[in-house]
Amino acid sequence: MTTIANNLQQVLGRMAQACTVAGREPGAVGLLAVSKTFGAAAVLEAVAAGQRAFGENYIQEGVDKIAAVRAAMPCVALQWHCIGPIQSNKTRPVAEHFDWVHTVDRLKIAERLSAQRPAHLPPLQICVQVNIDGGATKSGVAPQDAADLVRAVAKLPRLAVRGLMCIPEPAPDFESQLAVHTRAKRLFDEIAAGGIPGLLQFDTLSLGMTADLEAAIQAGSTLVRVGTGIFGGRSYPAT
C-alpha cells in the first residue's frame, strides 16, 4: 500500500470514529482530498485508493491538474472543488473546469461564474464562504450577511447553492474548535430553515481540516477538507 493510500485509510478511520462518537452514520460526512501543490501523480495514487473528490486552491494549477488526471484516467468520474480565493478576472476557468466552488463571498463573483458557466455542463455547485469567527486574515461574508448573499446567489442561473464553507482561525483545543464549528452549524441550519427560494438542496457544510476534523464532525460538518493528512507536508515556492 502506498503512503497516500495508507494515509487515506487513516483519515477515513478518524472520520468513522468521529462519526461514531457524534452519534452520526459514517457515511454522513464526505472527504475532500486537498491536492494543492501536489502533482497529478499524487492525485492518481489517491484515485487508485478510492478517493473521488479533490480540492484545489490555485486556479491555474487546478485546471492543469484536472486535464492531466482526466487524460490519465478518462473513464473515472471525479469531482473537482475550487476551495481557494477567486479574483474577478479568474472566474472563467473556474466556471469552465470545476464542479464545485466553496469560496463565493460576494455577489459579483457569483454573477460572473453564472454568466461564464458553459451551457453544456451541469450547474456549478456553490458554497458561500462565511468568516464565522471574524478572523482578520480570513475571507468570507460576515455571518449576519450570509443569508442575504445565499438568497441573491440562489436567483442566478447555472448555479446551485448547496451550503456554506468556513475556515476558522486555528483553535488550541477540541472544545474551542467545537464552539466555533457549532456556530457555523447553527448558521447553516438557520439558513436552511429560512425558506429561501431556489434552495433546492441546501445540504453541504464544508467545515474541518486535518487538525480539527473531529470537532467539525461533532458539530455537524458534512464535508471535511484534508490535505496534509493524506498527501503529507507541503513545500511552497519561495516568493
Side-chain angles (χ1 to χ4, degrees):
M1 183 179 290
T2 67
T3 300
I4 287 175
N6 183 63
N7 290 347
L8 188 59
Q9 290 306 308
Q10 290 188 28
V11 169
L12 290 171
R14 285 177 62 188
M15 292 171 60
Q17 177 63 22
C19 285
T20 298
V21 171
R24 303 177 64 189
E25 292 294 325
V29 185
L31 173 60
L32 187 64
V34 180
S35 44
K36 69 175 182 181
T37 78
F38 291 93
V43 172
L44 291 171
E45 284 191 43
V47 172
Q51 180 63 24
R52 294 294 182 267
F54 295 88
E56 291 288 328
N57 289 64
Y58 308 122
I59 294 168
Q60 191 56 55
E61 176 193 333
V63 169
D64 294 343
K65 203 175 302 179
I66 290 168
V69 172
R70 186 171 292 144
M73 287 189 168
C75 296
V76 179
L78 302 179
Q79 271 188 6
W80 291 94
H81 297 234
C82 178
I83 61 173
I86 305 174
Q87 298 176 335
S88 295
N89 62 348
K90 297 293 180 63
T91 53
R92 184 173 296 278
V94 174
E96 292 178 345
H97 295 280
F98 285 86
D99 304 298
W100 284 69
V101 177
H102 291 224
T103 50
V104 170
D105 60 359
R106 56 196 189 278
L107 184 57
K108 178 181 179 181
I109 295 299
E111 289 172 338
R112 291 179 64 86
L113 291 171
S114 173
Q116 294 167 346
R117 181 67 169 175
H120 70 278
L121 294 178
L124 190 59
Q125 309 298 295
I126 300 294
C127 288
V128 166
Q129 183 174 357
V130 181
N131 187 351
I132 193 64
D133 56 353
T137 63
K138 300 295 184 181
S139 300
V141 65
Q144 63 269 23
D145 298 325
D148 286 342
L149 182 56
V150 168
R151 186 175 293 105
V153 177
K155 296 176 181 178
L156 298 173
R158 313 297 307 149
L159 305 181
V161 183
R162 293 291 297 274
L164 305 180
M165 187 274 265
C166 304
I167 309 175
E169 295 285 354
D173 53 59
F174 179 86
E175 292 303 325
S176 300
Q177 294 168 358
L178 181 60
V180 68
H181 291 330
T182 299
R183 266 189 275 162
K185 179 59 162 62
R186 189 179 303 119
L187 178 63
F188 173 82
D189 289 343
E190 289 172 357
I191 293 174
I196 294 176
L199 287 190
L200 303 179
Q201 196 176 359
F202 195 79
D203 58 1
T204 301
L205 180 57
S206 174
L207 185 68
M209 298 185 287
T210 300
D212 62 351
L213 68 84
E214 284 84 3
I217 290 173
Q218 179 71 38
S221 172
T222 68
L223 184 67
V224 294
R225 309 177 305 271
V226 177
T228 56
I230 297 172
F231 297 105
R234 292 186 173 86
S235 296
Y236 292 95
T239 55

